[in-house]
């Protein structure tokens, strides 16, 4: 007893002396630590921070022990992200982890206001994040459940790596499995353990799911599934990463389907025992009240299975006109052809929901699209459609009656000297023009007004954009109204086809006026002179009929020389000879006509070959052989109209704006 007490005293004295020595050493080392501590304001704040990580143990226990620590951290993070949109989120996370307690958010806000440059160290958002842009899920603080699940999953997949290496990689990417996996794969490939373990294993792609994450307990006809990791967020992330359903997502659906079948069987049994069955007047089966539908006219009883099968046949078969009541948007009565009743839409939806929920929603969507398409076709409205889905819009058509309400116009200001001279000339001729046209204005007042408004409508249609924005929430793609292709800025309609058509037509136009020597293969074009062509190899041919004429008196084939051409006198040059049918020595062919015909024929053959007959928008690639089809050219050839001339004048003088 005495020895125990003495030992206790000695141990107590030793503890007190050691503690006193420890305090003395600590007190003696304090000035030295203060002398060697950083002098920056940031280090001083961190040293004096009463809420640092070491003070958490001394603080009283929190009442919310079960609350995940990521919840208040994410709340503070969202506030800081709204106040400092120019600072990256990782800086805000680091700053919030430095402080604890209720004063964490005020202290972090004050530090960022005073020492943003020191904390950010260049990690800024350029340009700053918009205030209405939500933070991505991978930028928020992870829950403890997610972190533990990621550690377990990564530890099993990369067992050759040490725990410290895995923790370091996870800390770099905020515990994101998707971001950490490529780095861990690269590190694992360098390890000799992984190399030795993979010698006898089948090589897998980096994008394939690891075998340890696949559920091997039960064969699934739909394909492999991922195992449950214990975190719903991680299960969703793995399912999206590997495009495979998770194991947990299969059980509720199977359980729900089995429960529904059991409930229907019990309901049918109870109805049979109570004598409350109804006979379907289509398939003559007995069904319960919950599985029956009734028409609105004669109360004909039709089971929901017949309703569902009839609707599927109408959508995907040939029973649309016979079975669908288009005016009411539902099925006609199936019991009798003479019945004018129909089945209510609620019963139609109930019949579809008896099958798989996904397929029923898709069937109902197709049914609504088919009804909308039928109504649009019978409305006779001009429509434009998205080439990637069934979304239509009514095409904006401008005519002389509605142009005044949707179009505003003003005179174009002269920009060059030529425009100024033309404006002055028009003003000088305006009185004479008014005097000349005044009788016509008095006799036909509405005719000229209609011509002007029609010209404005044509100009508005010509200057409108061809970009079409689909407003279908599942599509939202941009396309071109002319070529029906995806819109890319800058956009050129039918660009690959235009290049092909242009090459084909230009080759045909060149071949129409080109001549080739059959002896040496040299190609040439006649620019002037007579129609007797002589190649560099000595071969002579007629430019018009391409016959070998050789030299006069020679033994070559032909050997006619200039005798091949007509030698009769004609009083009018260029007139057709009435005495012979020989070629004219100096008559020039209409090359413009030949080129135009060759181009048109080549374009026709190309369109038939490519299946582009009737497709508009390719005219710019071909153009006009003899120059642009201008107003003056049409006027010269007699292809002009009053409306066409006025359209050209309005296009040059007026600017339209569509409201």
């Amino acid at each position: 007893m005495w020895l125990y007490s003495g030992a206790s005293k000695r141990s107590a004295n030793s503890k007190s002396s050691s503690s006193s020595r420890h305090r003395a050493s600590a007190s003696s080392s304090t000035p030295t630590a203060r002398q060697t501590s950083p002098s920056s304001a940031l280090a001083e704040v961190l040293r004096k921070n009463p809420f640092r990580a070491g003070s958490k143990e001394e603080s009283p226990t929190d009442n919310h022990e079960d609350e995940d620590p990521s919840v208040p951290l994410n709340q503070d993070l969202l506030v800081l992200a709204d106040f400092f949109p120019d600072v990256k989120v990782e800086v805000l996370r680091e700053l919030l982890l430095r402080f604890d307690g209720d004063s964490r958010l005020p202290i972090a806000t004050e530090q960022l206001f005073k020492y943003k440059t020191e904390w950010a160290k260049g990690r800024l958002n350029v340009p700053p994040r918009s205030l209405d842009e939500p933070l991505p899920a991978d930028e928020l603080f992870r829950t403890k459940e997610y972190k533990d699940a990621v550690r377990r999953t990564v530890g099993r997949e990369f067992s050759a790596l040490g725990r410290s290496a895995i923790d370091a990689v996870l800390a770099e990417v905020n515990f994101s499995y998707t971001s950490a996996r490529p780095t861990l794969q690269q590190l694992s490939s360098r390890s000799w353990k992984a190399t030795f373990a993979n010698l006898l294993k089948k090589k897998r792609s980096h994008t394939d799911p690891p075998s340890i994450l696949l559920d091997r307990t039960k064969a699934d006809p739909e394909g492999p599934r991922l195992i449950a990791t214990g975190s719903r967020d991680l299960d969703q992330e793995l399912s999206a990463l590997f495009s495979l359903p998770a194991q947990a997502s299969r059980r509720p659906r199977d359980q729900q389907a089995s429960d529904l079948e059991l409930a229907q069987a019990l309901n049918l049994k109870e109805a049979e025992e109570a004598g409350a069955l109804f006979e379907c007047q289509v398939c003559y089966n007995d069904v319960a009240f919950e599985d029956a539908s009734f028409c609105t006219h004669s109360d004909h009883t039709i089971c929901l299975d017949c309703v569902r099968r009839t609707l599927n046949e109408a959508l995907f078969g040939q029973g649309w006109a016979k079975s669908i009541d288009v005016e009411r948007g539902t099925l006609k009565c199936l019991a009798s052809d003479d019945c004018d009743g129909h089945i209510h839409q609620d019963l139609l939806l109930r019949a579809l929901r008896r099958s798989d929920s996904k397929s029923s929603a898709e069937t109902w969507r197709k049914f609504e699209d088919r009804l909308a398409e039928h109504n649009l076709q019978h409305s006779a409205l001009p429509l434009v459609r998205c080439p990637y889905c069934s979304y239509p819009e009514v095409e904006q058509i401008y005519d002389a009656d509605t142009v005044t309400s949707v179009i505003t116009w003003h005179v174009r200001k002269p920009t060059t000297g030529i425009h100024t001279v033309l404006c002055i000339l028009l003003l000088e001729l305006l009185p004479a023009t008014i005097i000349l046209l005044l009788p016509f204005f008095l006799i036909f007042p509405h005719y000229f007004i209609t011509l002007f408004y029609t010209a404005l409508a044509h100009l508005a249609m010509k200057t409108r954009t061809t970009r079409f924005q689909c407003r279908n929430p599942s599509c939202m793609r941009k396309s071109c109204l002319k070529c029906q292709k995806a819109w890319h800025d800058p956009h050129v309609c039918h660009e690959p086809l235009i290049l092909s058509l242009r090459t084909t037509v230009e080759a045909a136009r060149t071949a129409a006026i080109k001549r080739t020597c059959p002896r040496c293969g040299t190609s040439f074009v006649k620019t002037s002179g007579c129609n007797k062509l002589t190649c560099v190899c000595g071969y002579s041919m007629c430019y018009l009929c391409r016959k070998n004429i050789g030299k006069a008196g020679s033994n070559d084939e032909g050997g006619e020389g200039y005798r091949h051409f007509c030698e009769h006198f004609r009083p009018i040059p260029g007139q057709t000879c009435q005495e012979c049918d020989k070629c004219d020595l100096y008559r020039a062919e209409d090359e413009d006509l030949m080129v135009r015909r060759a181009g048109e024929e080549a374009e026709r053959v190309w369109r038939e070959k490519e299946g582009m007959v009737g497709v508009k928008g390719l005219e710019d690639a071909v153009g006009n052989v003899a120059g642009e089809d201008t107003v003056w050219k049409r006027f010269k050839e007699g292809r002009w109209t009053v409306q066409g001339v006025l359209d050209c004048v309005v296009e040059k003088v007026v600017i339209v704006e569509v409201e």
Side-chain angles (χ1 to χ4, degrees):
M1 188 69 181
W2 177 81
L3 292 174
Y4 177 77
S5 61
S8 300
K9 290 180 180 180
R10 285 194 299 272
S11 62
N13 293 333
S14 63
K15 288 181 180 179
S16 61
S17 62
S18 62
S19 61
S20 62
R21 286 195 301 270
H22 178 71
R23 286 194 299 269
S25 61
S27 61
S28 62
S29 62
T30 301
T32 306
R34 290 183 179 178
Q35 293 176 1
T36 59
S37 61
S39 59
S40 63
L42 180 60
E44 186 69 17
V45 170
L46 293 177
R47 188 178 64 81
K48 294 182 178 181
N49 176 27
F51 302 102
R52 60 185 182 273
S55 63
K56 187 182 296 186
E57 299 176 357
E58 301 174 2
S59 61
T61 58
D62 194 0
N63 296 330
H64 306 283
E65 294 180 355
D66 297 336
E67 185 180 9
D68 194 285
S70 63
V71 176
L73 285 173
N74 284 328
Q75 294 175 356
D76 296 342
L77 181 62
L78 294 176
V79 175
L80 284 181
D82 291 339
F83 273 103
F84 303 97
D86 57 334
V87 181
K88 289 189 176 296
V89 182
E90 58 177 314
V91 178
L92 305 180
R93 289 200 308 266
E94 294 176 3
L95 185 58
L96 289 175
L97 290 176
R98 291 293 188 104
F99 306 104
D100 294 324
D102 297 335
S103 302
R104 172 176 52 215
L105 182 59
I107 294 176
T109 306
E110 182 181 2
Q111 290 300 307
L112 283 176
F113 270 118
K114 292 182 178 180
Y115 312 107
K116 181 191 295 186
T117 305
E118 288 82 354
W119 280 108
K121 297 179 181 179
R123 293 173 292 179
L124 300 175
N125 293 321
V126 181
R129 187 185 65 259
S130 59
L131 296 180
D132 56 348
E133 180 182 356
L135 290 181
D138 55 351
E139 293 286 353
L140 300 176
F141 286 99
R142 301 291 189 176
T143 61
K144 186 177 183 300
E145 180 186 31
Y146 180 87
K147 291 181 179 180
D148 295 340
V150 169
R151 286 194 180 98
R152 289 194 302 268
T153 304
V154 172
R156 293 177 57 189
E157 182 179 357
F158 302 98
S159 57
L161 296 178
R163 182 175 179 180
S164 59
I166 293 177
D167 291 341
V169 174
L170 291 177
E172 292 175 1
V173 295
N174 193 25
F175 287 86
S176 173
Y177 177 86
T178 305
S179 303
R181 190 167 186 262
T183 306
L184 292 174
Q185 286 177 338
Q186 184 179 4
L187 294 177
S188 178
S189 62
R190 303 174 184 175
S191 174
W192 65 271
K193 295 182 180 180
T195 304
F196 182 76
N198 293 332
L199 288 177
L200 302 178
K201 291 184 179 180
K202 182 180 178 181
K203 292 185 178 180
R204 302 174 62 90
S205 175
H206 292 287
T207 58
D208 293 339
S211 57
I212 61 172
L213 295 181
L214 298 178
D215 184 13
R216 304 290 186 180
T217 58
K218 182 179 179 181
D220 197 333
E222 298 180 0
R225 292 178 178 269
L226 299 174
I227 62 174
T229 59
S231 173
R232 180 180 299 179
D233 295 337
L234 183 57
D235 291 341
Q236 295 177 356
E237 183 178 354
L238 293 177
S239 179
L241 177 62
F242 300 116
S243 300
L244 291 176
Q247 182 187 20
S249 63
R250 175 182 56 184
R251 294 177 179 175
R253 184 170 62 250
D254 294 345
Q255 186 67 33
Q256 184 178 5
S258 60
D259 292 345
L260 179 60
E261 293 177 359
L262 179 60
Q264 290 175 352
L266 292 176
N267 184 39
L268 181 62
K269 183 178 180 181
E270 292 177 358
E272 185 178 1
E273 293 176 354
L277 294 178
F278 295 84
E279 183 182 10
C280 175
Q281 298 182 13
V282 178
C283 63
Y284 302 104
N285 289 332
D286 293 333
V287 294
F289 176 78
E290 290 78 9
D291 298 333
S293 63
F294 306 91
C295 75
T296 58
H297 189 269
S298 303
D299 292 337
H300 291 131
T301 304
I302 305 167
C303 68
L304 296 182
D305 290 337
C306 291
V307 172
R308 177 172 50 83
R309 287 193 294 266
T310 305
L311 181 60
N312 289 331
E313 177 64 24
L315 283 177
F316 308 106
Q318 300 179 356
W320 178 266
K322 180 180 179 181
S323 305
I324 302 299
D325 189 349
V326 182
E327 295 181 357
R328 298 180 177 88
T330 183
L331 282 178
K332 299 178 182 178
C333 180
L334 307 178
S336 175
D337 295 337
D338 299 331
C339 181
D340 296 332
H342 62 276
I343 299 173
H344 201 272
Q345 276 194 355
D346 294 339
L347 297 175
L348 200 63
L349 279 171
R350 186 193 299 178
L352 290 177
R353 289 169 182 169
R354 288 175 60 88
S355 59
D356 187 16
S357 59
K358 183 177 180 180
S359 61
S360 63
E362 183 70 16
T363 303
W364 184 254
R365 186 184 64 82
K366 289 183 178 296
F367 177 64
E368 290 183 333
D369 292 344
R370 184 76 177 270
L371 287 175
E373 181 69 21
H374 181 273
N375 294 329
L376 287 174
Q377 289 180 357
H378 284 72
S379 65
L381 293 174
L383 302 175
V384 290
R385 298 179 180 273
C386 176
Y388 304 104
C389 65
S390 59
Y391 174 78
E393 282 186 2
V394 179
E395 185 178 8
Q396 183 66 45
I397 300 297
Y398 307 106
D399 52 18
D401 298 330
T402 61
V403 69
T404 56
S405 60
V406 296
I407 293 179
T408 58
W409 62 277
H410 59 273
V411 180
R412 188 189 303 270
K413 295 181 180 180
T415 56
T416 61
I418 298 178
H419 291 167
T420 305
V421 172
L422 290 177
C423 289
I424 296 174
L425 182 61
L426 289 176
L427 291 176
E428 291 290 339
L429 296 177
L430 184 61
T433 306
I434 293 177
I435 295 174
L436 180 63
L437 298 178
L438 184 59
F440 297 97
F441 274 112
L442 296 177
I443 299 174
F444 308 104
H446 298 288
Y447 175 73
F448 291 95
I449 296 176
T450 304
L451 283 178
F452 178 70
Y453 285 151
T454 304
L456 291 179
H458 291 170
L459 182 58
M461 291 290 294
K462 188 176 181 180
T463 56
R464 69 174 183 175
T465 180
T466 59
R467 185 178 65 176
F468 179 77
Q469 174 67 55
C470 180
R471 301 185 184 276
N472 186 357
S474 61
C475 181
M476 300 299 292
R477 300 181 66 177
K478 297 179 182 179
S479 58
C480 179
L481 293 176
K482 285 186 177 180
C483 62
Q484 299 293 311
K485 302 296 182 182
W487 184 275
H488 302 286
D489 293 323
H491 181 76
V492 179
C493 293
H494 302 291
E495 186 172 7
L497 297 176
I498 283 177
L499 295 177
S500 175
L501 176 59
R502 181 179 298 164
T503 304
T504 304
V505 173
E506 288 179 354
R509 290 172 178 174
T510 305
I513 58 176
K514 181 185 67 174
R515 301 294 183 265
T516 303
C517 176
R519 179 182 296 176
C520 64
T522 303
S523 299
F524 44 85
V525 177
K526 190 193 78 167
T527 57
S528 61
C530 65
N531 290 327
K532 181 178 179 294
L533 303 180
T534 302
C535 182
V536 292
C537 66
Y539 184 84
S540 297
M541 62 183 296
C542 175
Y543 180 78
L544 299 178
C545 65
R546 298 172 178 81
K547 183 180 179 181
N548 179 16
I549 58 178
K551 294 182 179 180
S554 64
N555 295 326
D556 296 339
E557 181 182 356
E560 297 176 322
Y562 284 100
R563 293 197 304 269
H564 173 76
F565 301 99
C566 176
E567 299 177 351
H568 298 96
F569 173 76
R570 279 164 287 179
I572 302 176
Q575 186 181 11
T576 304
C577 181
Q578 303 296 331
E579 300 180 11
C580 67
D581 56 354
K582 292 183 178 181
C583 298
D584 194 347
L585 181 61
Y586 288 99
R587 183 173 65 87
E589 290 185 335
D590 190 355
E591 294 185 354
D592 293 342
L593 180 61
M594 295 176 57
V595 168
R596 183 183 298 108
R597 289 178 178 176
E600 292 174 354
E601 179 65 19
E603 182 181 359
R604 183 188 63 81
V605 174
W606 181 89
R607 285 180 179 271
E608 292 178 354
K609 180 181 178 181
E610 299 292 337
M612 302 292 291
V613 178
V615 177
K616 298 181 179 180
L618 302 177
E619 292 79 6
D620 296 337
V622 181
N624 197 309
V625 179
E628 295 184 1
D629 192 15
T630 60
V631 177
W632 304 112
K633 187 174 183 63
R634 292 195 297 267
F635 182 81
K636 182 179 179 181
E637 296 178 358
R639 297 184 293 110
W640 64 278
T641 59
V642 177
Q643 185 65 60
V645 175
L646 187 59
D647 289 347
C648 181
V649 174
V650 169
E651 183 179 353
K652 300 296 183 182
V653 178
V654 176
I655 297 177
V656 296
E657 296 178 358
V658 181
E659 297 180 357

